[in-house]
Amino acid sequence: MTNLKPIRIAGVGYSIPDTVITNDDLTKLYETSDEWIYTRTGIKERRIVSGNEDAIDLGEKAARNAIEKSGIAPEDIDMIIAASTAPIELYSMGCQIHKRLGIKKQIPAFDIAAACTGLIYGLSIAKSFIASGMYKNILIVATDNNSKLLDWTDRGTSILFGDGAGAMVVTEAEDGIDDIISIDIKSDGNYDHLISLRFDGENCPLVKPNDIHDSKIHMNGKGVYAFVAKILPKYVEELLQNSGMTSDDIDYLIPHQANIRIIQAVQERLGMPEEKVVTNIKYYGNTSAASIPIALAEGVEKGNVKLGSTAILCGFGAGMTWGGAIIRLREGIC
Ligand code: COA
C-alpha cells in the first residue's frame, strides 16, 4: 500500500511529582541499603505522588506540556490514547484527560494496558489510525502511579518503581516525511507469572465466593531479569536490521528505565557509546509506561538529546509485553 499517510511527532512533554524518596529513606521501611539498591538497579531515588495527587494529575500536566509544544490546539485533537495501568479510574483514564484538558469536542478516548511498554503500544495504534487517514491529531498520555500499587513491605519490588507521566502529540506529516521509521510490538502471555497485579473484586453474595488476592504488584525480579536480558538486546538489534539500519544510523538509545544493567546489555549488543544512551533511572526509578517519554522529553530539555536526530526506543513490561520504535526527533518537539 502506498497511500498510507506519514506521521509527524509534533510534541512531547512530561511531568513528575515533587516528592522524592531516596534509597536511604527506604531503610526506614525495611532492611536495605543505598549501596545494595544502586549497584543492582542504578536507582538512587524516585518521585512519588503524595496526598490526593494521582496519575490523572500527572497525565494532565504532561499532556498540556506536549500539546503546547506541538502547536496544535486542544480542540483539534481527534483522539486520546491513555497508556496506563493506574486504576484510579478504570472507566477510562483517556476520558479523564479529555475532561481535564477542557476539550468540548466529543472524540474517542480510551486506555491501553500494556504496562511499561504502553507508550510504544500507544504510538503503534496512533500510527495506524493516522496512516489510514481515519484521524489526524492524536494525543498519547502515558501515566502511572506505581507507588499506590506497591507492597511497601516487599523490598524486592518497592525499591524499583516511581511515579510519572509522559505525553506525545502525533499528527499527519504534511511534508511527507514519516517520523516513525519503524515500530513493532510483541507479547507473550505465557510469562504472565513474572509480574502480576490482580483486581479480583468480589462475587455476588448469592453465589460461591471467589478467591481474593491483594491488589499489589507481585514480581519475580530474577525471572524478569533473565527473561528480558535474553530477549531484549537481540530484539532491538533485529528491529534495526529489519529496518535496513545499523546502530551507526541512530543518535540515541532511549530505553525503558527498569534496571541499568538491562539498559547496558542493550547498549552493548548495539555497540553504542554511553553518550548515546539516555538514562534517568538514577532519579526516577521505573515509572512504567511513562519512563520512555520522560527520558525523551527530559533528555531534550536538559540538552542531552539534540533534535534533528534519530532515536531507537525500546521497552518491556508485565504481560509480558515488549516493543521498539525507530523515530525521527524533529526540531521543536520539545
Ligand atoms: N535490599 C537488601 N537485600 C535485598 C533487597 C533489598 N532491597 N531485595 C532483596 N534482597 C535480598 C533477598 O532477600 C535475597 O536474600 P537471600 O539471598 O538471603 O534470600 C538477596 O537479596 C538476593 O535477592 P534477589 O531477588 O535474588 O536479588 P537480585 O540480584 O535478583 O536483584 C532485583 C533483585 C529486583 C534488583 C533484580 O532482580 C531486578 O532488577 N530484576 C528486574 C526487575 C524489573 O526490571 N522489573 C520491571 C519490569 S518492567
Side-chain angles (χ1 to χ4, degrees):
M1 280 224 278
T2 49
N3 57 350
L4 292 178
K5 299 193 186 308
I7 182 169
R8 176 165 71 88
I9 298 173
V12 294
Y14 75 104
S15 158
I16 40 161
D18 291 335
T19 309
V20 178
I21 299 290
T22 65
N23 290 346
D24 284 334
D25 292 332
L26 293 179
T27 62
K28 294 175 199 149
L29 297 181
Y30 37 64
E31 202 185 317
T32 189
S33 67
D34 174 54
E35 198 264 337
W36 195 98
I37 299 171
Y38 186 60
T39 51
R40 277 170 186 78
T41 66
I43 301 166
K44 279 269 180 197
E45 56 192 49
R46 70 285 295 140
R47 301 292 186 97
I48 66 170
V49 292
S50 167
N52 291 328
E53 188 181 31
D54 62 33
I56 301 173
D57 301 310
L58 300 175
E60 178 191 345
K61 281 187 202 148
R64 286 187 183 281
N65 201 216
I67 289 173
E68 191 191 322
K69 293 291 171 358
S70 75
I72 291 167
E75 279 304 320
D76 290 331
I77 301 281
D78 296 318
M79 170 182 277
I80 299 173
I81 302 172
S84 177
T85 35
I88 291 298
E89 180 45 86
L90 279 173
Y91 292 150
S92 185
M93 189 73 104
C95 292
Q96 293 295 314
I97 300 290
H98 175 263
K99 180 171 104 175
R100 290 283 190 96
L101 294 176
I103 297 175
K104 295 282 175 287
K105 208 166 74 178
Q106 295 171 338
I107 55 170
F110 58 92
D111 302 356
I112 49 159
C116 305
T117 323
L119 186 275
I120 296 175
Y121 268 68
L123 192 57
S124 179
I125 294 166
K127 179 178 166 71
S128 311
F129 275 119
I130 293 173
S132 68
M134 272 185 84
Y135 295 97
K136 194 169 173 194
N137 301 321
I138 301 182
L139 168 68
I140 306 159
V141 183
T143 183
D144 275 310
N145 48 212
N146 295 310
S147 66
K148 291 176 185 281
L149 305 172
L150 289 164
D151 172 357
W152 286 100
T153 63
D154 177 5
R155 63 181 182 166
T157 304
S158 57
I159 54 167
L160 297 177
F161 294 92
D163 302 334
M168 260 189 193
V169 174
V170 290
T171 184
E172 186 188 325
E174 306 286 344
D175 61 5
I177 298 170
D178 201 331
D179 288 350
I180 304 194
I181 298 167
S182 131
I183 190 158
D184 184 69
I185 46 177
K186 293 267 189 291
S187 75
D188 191 340
N190 297 302
Y191 293 88
D192 65 337
H193 55 281
L194 293 177
I195 313 173
S196 68
L197 175 57
R198 294 187 60 112
F199 286 86
D200 294 306
E202 273 180 64
N203 281 356
C204 164
L206 301 175
V207 303
K208 198 173 152 192
N210 56 319
D211 293 335
I212 300 195
H213 305 78
D214 69 8
S215 297
K216 304 281 178 204
I217 298 172
H218 290 278
M219 184 183 71
N220 169 350
K222 258 203 181 355
V224 172
Y225 189 89
F227 178 81
V228 176
K230 188 165 167 231
I231 60 145
L232 196 68
K234 185 164 175 278
Y235 170 76
V236 178
E237 189 182 40
E238 284 172 3
L239 186 68
L240 268 175
Q241 284 168 356
N242 295 341
S243 314
M245 300 172 89
T246 72
S247 54
D248 291 341
D249 301 316
I250 303 292
D251 298 302
Y252 302 104
L253 166 65
I254 308 179
H256 171 44
Q257 311 284 310
N259 182 306
I260 197 71
R261 291 181 296 150
I262 293 174
I263 294 174
Q264 284 161 352
V266 175
Q267 174 191 349
E268 277 162 29
R269 180 76 175 230
L270 299 183
M272 285 179 103
E274 211 175 311
E275 60 272 17
K276 284 187 164 190
V277 184
V278 182
T279 62
N280 59 14
I281 187 170
K282 190 169 173 183
Y283 303 106
Y284 304 134
N286 179 347
T287 55
S288 292
S291 105
I292 294 173
I294 294 176
L296 165 58
E298 191 202 47
V300 175
E301 190 180 85
K302 292 198 162 161
N304 300 328
V305 174
K306 305 268 181 273
L307 296 176
S309 57
T310 53
I312 187 161
L313 317 179
C314 64
F316 61 92
M320 294 293 285
T321 57
W322 63 101
I326 302 172
I327 60 170
R328 268 182 253 277
L329 301 173
R330 301 193 194 209
E331 296 291 345
I333 62 165
C334 190

